[in-house]
Amino acid sequence: MISPKSVTGATLIGLIAPFMWGASVSLVRTIAENFGIAQGQCLLYIVAATALFFLIGFPKFDRIPWQYKTIGLATANLSSITFCLSLYFSNGGTQTMEVGMVNYLWPTLTIVFAILFNGQKARWWIAPGALLSFCGIYWILGNGHIAVDAFIEHIKINPISYFLALMAAVTWAGFSSMTRAWSKGENMSTVIFIFDIIIFGAFWAMGVGGSPVITGFGILSVILGGLAMGVAYASWTHGMSYGNITVLAIASYFTPVLSCLFASVWIGAELTAAFWQGVALVVTGSLICWHATRSPSIKHS
């Protein structure tokens, strides 16, 4: 029997996360539309925190380094907030998926951070792989045009949403790196979500987000979104603590494809040929980054 804390077992558990994240963009958007950003995310994290409590409980705080309890916790919460806000401020299903794709730079950034901060070894082609991923985002936001003007004009349509998505990607990659370095095998996901409840609950109390429009579809989205978010956080953090970081990274690279397929059904996003070409570039670039870390002569962490 494979132990959950063995490299193989932890990697298998971590592989659950990309499938859950594939649905999260559309679900978070639907929740925000039905309940408002503050109310909706507060309800989502209540469901997620409850699921996490029964899945993993609370960590042993005395074993967790102060850096992870402070810097790590703050980084994780900043990632959650910026991710939700980026989707809330997006306009329509298509722009929601564009914003989601900007956020999906985090797998490439996770490997880059692992090289910079966790001692992960890599070959020279890590650089063109990372560049290709960023070119994919450029292609999507430029609507298939090479001209810089088209890219800039598209960003100007809703700069806050794209900026928040990029911040969410950077902070999540940073948190993944911190988890590897500081977690000591303790999973703080339940605590992170409780803080998210407090933060969005405070926004709710201040009247942020307007009046909710409660529908059966919205309630279903809250339940599914909360379960997906909770399971994804728990499995990913466990995998990053004990599993093979590069295997998890390569699996996460296909999250954008799953997300786009789910969005086309759930929120009716109309995705152009240029969009799918950009997705292909992001995934290909991420795969190149992964391959740059897996040479047989390189010792894996």
Side-chain angles (χ1 to χ4, degrees), residues 39-57:
Q39 300 94 322
Q41 300 317 302
C42 183
L43 294 172
L44 180 146
Y45 284 114
I46 287 174
V47 174
T50 302
L52 280 173
F53 175 76
F54 287 105
L55 282 171
I56 61 173

Side-chain angles (χ1 to χ4, degrees), residues 41-103:
Q41 300 317 302
C42 183
L43 294 172
L44 180 146
Y45 284 114
I46 287 174
V47 174
T50 302
L52 280 173
F53 175 76
F54 287 105
L55 282 171
I56 61 173
F58 288 104
K60 297 177 181 177
F61 291 100
D62 57 336
R63 295 190 67 242
I64 302 174
W66 68 267
Q67 297 98 320
Y68 197 50
K69 287 188 285 191
T70 54
I71 301 173
L73 182 62
T75 302
N77 285 124
L78 181 59
S79 181
S80 298
I81 293 168
T82 51
F83 171 67
C84 293
L85 289 176
S86 70
L87 298 179
Y88 176 72
F89 288 122
S90 63
N91 298 316
T94 301
Q95 191 176 90
T96 294
M97 293 314 302
E98 292 176 354
V99 169
M101 284 304 302
V102 173
N103 180 62

